[in-house]
């Protein structure tokens, strides 16, 4: 008889091994979809001495090819497990040596961002080093439009120092998957109770259409209202815009596009959002001059008026405005080009 191993215990071991085997086949599912069935408020922890403002709004904190890379995913919900969209989140953590960036502009491994329309977020950073006397941890602030600010820390599994860190709390342990290439994929769900009055975000001023020459700068501006924290998101033809070499202010009320290219033409919209609601602006066309030959009337969009012009010239070449391919007659090939530019101006 094996000491300390009853049939019941053997059965439990089998179940555990089966569960582990199953989970090992589904690393992403484990990190993405293992949500608590009941939503108990996330406990708060000390802010510590190194929180700084302002921090850049970004979800990309890796610098060059620093490693080990960490993709950190999360979700913010209320006490009823309902996701909280457009909720403000701030994070800060140590670098590989365990040191915090405490010199201006305070933006190394520090960031703010908002959850998406589903209350979820993801950002890229590194697995931080060990700050003296502490186990490996990430600092957080989470703030919805009708929540109190949650300040807390989360912890990595399987770190020996978890056993000796007085602040460590297993309730703040992240779910972690380490991929074959060494990349860490971690997940944590924050529960922040909602209370009190809250006004969903609305658009109070829509962006205006713009016509610019290639190479010029275009600035779209919107305005929103509603409880804060509140964010803005810009979209071109329904696709969210990220800040980059030519795009700035993608998360603010004012989107700036420098060195405008013909491919930038399109319909621009802005969504103002907070955790109690959001509103999308009306669309504003960006007309890149000289880049939209089918926009015969120059109103910034290829529409029925332009089709009417084409049909009026059909078969002949009266003024040749509609002879888009310059073959001497207005025909099906020209119609095809017009329809390809329909509704936008690219
Ligand atoms: Fe810390």
């Amino acid at each position: 008889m094996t000491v300390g191993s009853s049939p019941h215990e053997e059965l439990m071991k089998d179940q555990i091994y089966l569960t582990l085997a199953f989970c090992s086949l589904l690393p992403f599912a484990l990190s993405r979809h293992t949500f608590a069935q009941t939503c108990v408020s996330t406990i708060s922890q000390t802010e510590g001495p190194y929180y700084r403002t302002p921090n850049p709004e970004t979800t990309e904190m890796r610098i060059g090819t620093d490693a080990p890379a960490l993709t950190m995913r999360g979700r913010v919900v209320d006490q009823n497990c309902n996701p909280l969209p457009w909720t403000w989140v701030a994070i800060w953590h140590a670098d590989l040596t365990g040191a915090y960036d405490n010199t201006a502009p305070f933006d190394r491994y520090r960031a703010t961002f908002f959850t998406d329309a589903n209350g979820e977020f993801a950002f890229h950073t590194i697995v931080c080093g060990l700050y003296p006397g502490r186990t490996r941890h990430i600092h957080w602030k989470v703030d919805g439009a009708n929540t109190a600010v949650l300040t807390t820390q989360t912890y990595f599994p399987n770190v020996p120092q978890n056993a000796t860190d007085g602040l460590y709390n297993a309730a703040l342990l992240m779910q972690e998957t380490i991929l074959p290439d060494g990349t860490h994929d971690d997940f944590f769900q924050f529960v922040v109770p909602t209370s009190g009055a809250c006004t969903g975000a609305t658009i109070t001023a829509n962006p205006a259409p713009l016509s610019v020459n290639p190479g010029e700068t275009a600035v779209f501006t919107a305005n929103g209202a509603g409880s804060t924290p509140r964010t803005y998101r810009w979209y071109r033809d329904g696709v969210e815009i990220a800040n980059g070499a030519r795009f700035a202010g993608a998360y603010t009320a004012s989107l700036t596009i420098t060195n405008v290219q013909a491919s930038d033409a399109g319909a621009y919209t802005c969504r103002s959002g907070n955790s109690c609601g959001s509103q999308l602006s009306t669309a504003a066309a960006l007309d890149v001059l000289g880049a939209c030959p089918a926009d015969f009337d120059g109103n910034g969009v290829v529409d029925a008026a332009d089709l009417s012009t084409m049909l009026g010239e059909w078969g002949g070449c009266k003024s040749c405005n509609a002879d888009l391919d310059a073959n001497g007659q207005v025909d099906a090939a020209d119609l095809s080009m017009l329809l390809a530019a329909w509704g936008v101006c690219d």
Side-chain angles (χ1 to χ4, degrees):
M1 178 179 169
T2 307
V3 176
S5 183
S6 69
H8 177 66
E9 286 169 329
E10 289 297 337
L11 181 61
M12 285 182 64
K13 283 180 188 171
D14 286 348
Q15 288 173 339
I16 291 168
Y17 294 149
L18 276 171
T19 303
L20 289 173
F22 180 69
C23 289
S24 69
L25 296 173
L26 298 166
F28 281 108
L30 182 68
S31 64
R32 290 288 287 159
H33 298 299
T34 305
F35 300 141
Q37 296 303 303
T38 57
C39 291
V40 178
S41 298
T42 303
I43 59 173
S44 62
Q45 289 209 313
T46 178
E47 177 180 290
Y50 298 132
Y51 179 60
R52 297 286 186 273
T53 58
N55 291 312
E57 184 167 355
T58 181
T59 53
E60 184 53 74
M61 272 156 279
R62 286 187 72 191
I63 300 167
T65 56
D66 53 2
L70 166 63
T71 299
M72 181 73 215
R73 307 176 199 273
R75 191 171 187 245
V76 181
V77 300
D78 67 12
Q79 65 272 36
N80 298 314
C81 300
N82 296 315
L84 291 178
W86 313 118
T87 296
W88 179 86
V89 180
I91 75 105
W92 67 106
H93 65 71
D95 66 16
L96 285 173
T97 72
Y100 286 81
D101 179 6
N102 292 320
T103 53
F106 308 128
D107 60 358
R108 193 173 169 91
Y109 305 124
R110 299 174 178 276
T112 64
F113 47 85
F114 283 77
T115 60
D116 65 14
N118 300 313
E120 299 182 359
F121 64 82
F123 63 85
H124 298 110
T125 185
I126 55 162
V127 178
C128 51
L130 288 163
Y131 182 77
R134 294 295 318 278
T135 189
R136 208 182 305 284
H137 63 281
I138 298 176
H139 290 269
W140 302 82
K141 284 182 181 289
V142 180
D143 190 13
N146 61 342
T147 74
V149 180
L150 168 69
T151 300
T152 193
Q153 304 180 27
T154 59
Y155 299 93
F156 294 79
N158 305 314
V159 179
Q161 288 81 357
N162 287 350
T164 54
D165 186 327
L167 281 174
Y168 170 80
N169 188 312
L172 297 169
L173 204 54
M174 301 184 292
Q175 296 177 39
E176 181 169 79
T177 302
I178 301 177
L179 305 179
D181 67 357
T183 299
H184 290 234
D185 189 302
D186 284 40
F187 174 84
F188 192 82
Q189 175 167 280
F190 294 89
V191 181
V192 285
T194 54
S195 64
C198 184
T199 304
T202 57
I203 291 285
T204 54
N206 288 294
L210 295 171
S211 294
V212 300
N213 291 304
E216 291 182 340
T217 296
V219 180
F220 285 109
T221 303
N223 199 22
S227 301
T228 57
R230 187 178 69 243
T231 190
Y232 296 92
R233 287 290 185 280
W234 286 91
Y235 304 84
R236 175 183 171 273
D237 297 336
V239 178
E240 186 174 329
I241 296 168
N243 287 322
R246 295 190 301 108
F247 290 81
Y251 312 135
T252 71
S254 187
L255 173 72
T256 299
I257 311 167
T258 52
N259 187 22
V260 164
Q261 308 290 304
S263 59
D264 295 330
Y268 286 75
T269 50
C270 180
R271 180 174 294 280
S272 174
N274 64 22
S275 59
C276 298
S278 71
Q279 186 176 15
L280 189 67
S281 74
T282 57
L286 175 61
D287 178 16
V288 183
L289 297 169
C292 193
D295 180 24
F296 305 125
D297 59 5
N299 72 339
V301 62
V302 178
D303 54 17
D306 302 305
L307 177 61
S308 177
T309 297
M310 174 168 281
L311 295 178
E313 299 181 0
W314 194 261
C317 199
K318 296 169 188 169
S319 66
C320 280
N321 273 340
D323 182 19
L324 294 172
D325 61 1
N327 73 340
Q329 66 176 17
V330 179
D331 54 18
D334 302 305
L335 178 60
S336 176
M337 292 172 70
L338 181 142
L339 293 177
W342 190 266
V344 295
C345 208
D346 60 359

